[in-house]
Amino acid sequence: PAAACSARVHARQGSTSPPPPAAPTAQPGPADTESGNTGFVAALAAAASGASALVAFGTNRPWLTTDWGSTWVTLPTATNPYTPATPDLGQDVIDANPIGAIAFASPTRILAATWGGALRRYDTTTGWTSATSTPIPSTGLPSTYITAIAPEGGGSDNFYVTLGGAGYAHVYYWDGAAWNAAMPANVVDVPTHAIVVDPANSGIVYA
């Protein structure tokens, strides 16, 4: 019996297979890097353009589709940086921060702001087959992140932004030349994350 037990133990030990090799760890690719440059709640906006729709999306650069996502380009280059054999992760990047707010001022103008406080205006006269980018100065704004953008409408170049944080005004108005506090901190001092201008009366703003 002892010999049989020893044989069974030996058989079990001898038949033990080595552990399977560890699966190789997948290395992050360009799409993973792009995803990492996107805010936890990604900035998204849409606008009607004739019979079609425009959708803008923000990572650390603005993306635009004119055909409900069948094709995408970044602005202002208006090409897809993933089309080349080697994707271009630097094309049209605003700064090292995700875009926290994006909005259509019209079907031919997009406004975008990053968490780092950089603001850009994108314009087209070619149906977004090409575009221009214009920086909007942040001088006059508190040093914090912009959470939402609301164009004034009516063909105006002016718009409102909301701010996170505390200790300062949380709604500011860009009049085309300078920033003006539109909701002073002594009115309400809490982070503000949404804003809309009444389309029937641009003098009424909800935030």
Side-chain angles (χ1 to χ4, degrees):
C5 179
S6 176
R8 286 195 297 271
V9 171
H10 178 73
R12 285 196 297 271
Q13 291 175 341
S15 64
T16 300
S17 299
T25 302
Q27 298 300 308
D32 298 296
T33 302
E34 188 91 41
S35 178
N37 291 328
T38 307
F40 179 73
V41 178
L44 188 70
S49 178
S52 62
L54 306 172
V55 179
F57 170 79
T59 57
N60 59 352
R61 50 188 173 181
W63 288 82
L64 176 74
T65 178
T66 59
D67 52 17
W68 284 112
S70 294
T71 59
W72 288 88
V73 299
T74 61
L75 300 175
T77 303
T79 61
N80 190 316
Y82 285 84
T83 298
T86 302
D88 186 351
L89 290 175
Q91 175 176 302
D92 296 329
V93 168
I94 298 177
D95 61 18
N97 301 280
I99 291 174
I102 195 166
F104 282 91
S106 73
T108 60
R109 174 169 292 176
I110 296 171
L111 302 168
T114 73
W115 286 354
L119 294 111
R120 295 289 187 277
R121 189 188 77 207
Y122 300 91
D123 295 282
T124 186
T125 58
T126 62
W128 296 109
T129 59
S130 63
T132 59
S133 172
T134 304
I136 297 172
S138 58
T139 303
L141 284 176
S143 182
T144 187
Y145 55 95
I146 292 171
T147 56
I149 301 173
E152 188 173 42
S156 170
D157 292 339
N158 307 338
F159 60 93
Y160 295 84
V161 298
T162 57
L163 307 177
Y168 39 74
H170 287 84
V171 177
Y172 274 79
Y173 176 69
W174 172 253
D175 65 9
W179 290 101
N180 306 275
M183 186 175 72
N186 61 0
V187 175
V188 59
D189 184 10
V190 295
T192 307
H193 295 274
I195 187 167
V196 64
V197 178
D198 188 330
N201 184 348
S202 62
I204 299 176
V205 180
Y206 302 91

